[in-house]
Amino acid sequence: MNTTMDTITTDAAAAKKAAFEANKLSKRLHRQVGQAIGDFNMIEAGDRVMVCMSGGKDSHALLDILLSMRQRAPIDFSIVAVNLDQKQPGFPAEVLPAYLKSRGVEFRIEEQDTYSIVKRLVPEGQTMCSLCSRLRRGVLYRVASEIGATKIALGHHRDDMVVTLLMNMFFGSRMKGMPPKLVSDDGRHVVIRPLAYVAETDLERWAEHRAFPIIPCSLCGNQENLQRVQTKKMIREWERQYPGRIDNMFTAMGNIVPSHMMDRKLYPFETLRATGVADADGDKAFDEEPCAPPPPTPGALRIAPDSEDTP
């Protein structure tokens, strides 16, 4: 009898803790998405937001959070979910329509056989992402015009933005990231990334909690040697050794000091002259560089303030 009661008590405690953690995660995700939308004026009154649904965890979370936020938003905006069925072999075409109907959201499934085009043009073993992305982008821009969307929402998150910055540095020799908001390359659409402040690990937890019907990408999902995959593994390892490093890199993307970089288009180095006036933000070239803290000792307690500790 005592054993049964102990088991019930333990299960109840575990369920309570799980509910508390899920509630805390929900608050954090909604706060971060709301902050990103506000900081970059992503969604305005009367907008028709096209949420691009791939079937992965990120786009599922984006739609889920935007639907929730729309219910209590101080402005009125509409949402339409759009999925591009690229005709990949074995793609479960019935999964997303069934899910979107269950959520009561307007949606459109666009069928375009970009899979065959990519497989025909890209030699076996080479990266498919670039061509696939261009084809997909063109289709989605067309659909956005056809449905009258004023914003195109993509599910890229904080880690995607940091990885893109590093990849452009490593392989493109340029300081270029993935902005939270931009005008599309055809000049006709505004693209937004409301998950810009959200960590990928939180999206993984949210997808598990919400039990989204995840559809893996069979076209590129198994390309483990992709530079993007390797770069993501690298920053995950950095984060494990030095917690907060991804956040620091992400924050740095919004704290650019042109006078301390080398881009002559952004700062007039050629005409720079001594003024004789002290500048608190001037040259600190000989100052000691900030050092990263040592990695935490195994078993050590790390305490950080968290405003979400109350359910």
Side-chain angles (χ1 to χ4, degrees):
M1 182 66 175
N2 287 339
T3 302
T4 302
M5 290 301 297
D6 290 343
T7 301
I8 294 174
T9 301
T10 301
D11 290 346
K16 184 177 180 180
K17 181 180 179 182
F20 171 75
E21 291 297 332
N23 183 60
K24 188 167 75 166
L25 176 60
S26 175
K27 287 183 177 180
R28 180 163 64 249
L29 290 173
H30 285 76
R31 186 190 73 242
Q32 290 172 334
V33 171
Q35 183 178 348
I37 290 173
D39 286 351
F40 296 95
N41 193 29
M42 292 185 184
I43 298 177
E44 301 168 272
D47 267 342
R48 181 166 169 77
V49 181
M50 179 176 116
V51 179
C52 300
M53 295 289 296
S54 66
K57 69 181 190 313
D58 304 330
S59 58
H60 268 297
L62 175 60
L63 177 66
D64 186 50
I65 295 169
L66 287 181
L67 287 174
S68 173
M69 295 183 70
R70 185 183 59 174
Q71 295 178 353
R72 55 180 184 273
I75 60 172
D76 182 54
F77 65 95
S78 61
I79 294 174
V80 54
V82 172
N83 168 252
L84 172 58
D85 181 351
Q86 299 176 270
K87 296 306 175 184
Q88 298 175 28
F91 181 78
E94 73 286 350
V95 171
L96 271 176
Y99 173 76
L100 295 172
K101 287 176 183 177
S102 74
R103 297 301 307 267
V105 62
E106 179 186 351
F107 69 92
R108 172 167 166 175
I109 306 297
E110 181 70 15
E111 298 184 3
Q112 292 285 331
D113 189 3
T114 59
Y115 176 85
S116 296
I117 298 174
V118 172
K119 294 295 286 186
R120 185 177 72 250
L121 297 180
V122 179
E124 193 67 31
Q126 291 193 14
T127 301
M128 305 175 187
C129 290
S130 179
L131 176 59
C132 181
S133 178
R134 289 199 303 273
L135 293 172
R136 188 171 62 246
R137 188 163 61 242
V139 174
L140 291 174
Y141 287 170
R142 172 178 60 77
V143 172
S145 296
E146 291 176 358
I147 66 175
T150 56
K151 301 287 172 61
I152 301 175
L154 303 179
H156 297 118
H157 46 71
R158 180 204 65 175
D159 299 42
D160 287 329
M161 297 169 78
V162 171
V163 166
T164 299
L165 172 67
L166 293 177
M167 288 186 64
N168 274 311
M169 292 172 61
F170 296 161
F171 309 110
S173 300
R174 55 186 175 179
M175 295 284 288
K176 179 181 178 181
M178 181 183 281
K181 181 180 180 182
L182 73 155
V183 174
S184 61
D185 50 18
D186 64 1
R188 300 171 59 192
H189 304 93
V190 175
V191 178
I192 59 175
R193 296 183 169 100
L195 300 181
Y197 292 165
V198 178
E200 184 173 24
T201 50
D202 280 349
L203 292 173
E204 291 167 353
R205 293 171 56 204
W206 189 245
E208 182 178 1
H209 169 67
R210 298 286 285 168
F212 297 135
I214 304 298
I215 303 174
C217 176
S218 60
L219 182 62
C220 59
N222 59 352
Q223 294 184 276
E224 289 299 322
N225 291 325
L226 287 176
Q227 295 292 356
R228 179 170 291 276
V229 174
Q230 297 303 314
T231 304
K232 182 176 290 189
K233 288 181 179 179
M234 181 181 69
I235 68 168
R236 283 284 184 102
E237 178 61 21
W238 285 352
E239 185 71 14
R240 187 189 67 79
Q241 293 183 18
Y242 300 99
R245 180 167 287 189
I246 296 178
D247 264 335
N248 288 342
M249 288 189 289
F250 178 77
T251 302
M253 293 172 69
N255 287 328
I256 308 298
V257 184
S259 63
H260 285 53
M261 300 299 287
M262 296 176 59
D263 193 331
R264 289 175 294 162
K265 299 186 293 295
L266 298 181
Y267 193 79
F269 292 101
E270 297 90 341
T271 59
L272 191 63
R273 300 288 185 274
T275 64
V277 179
D279 182 358
D281 295 322
D283 184 30
K284 300 291 191 299
F286 298 102
D287 285 2
E288 192 172 313
E289 292 295 328
C291 295
T297 303
L301 179 64
R302 294 180 68 250
I303 300 177
D306 192 338
S307 61
E308 298 147 353
D309 282 340
T310 54

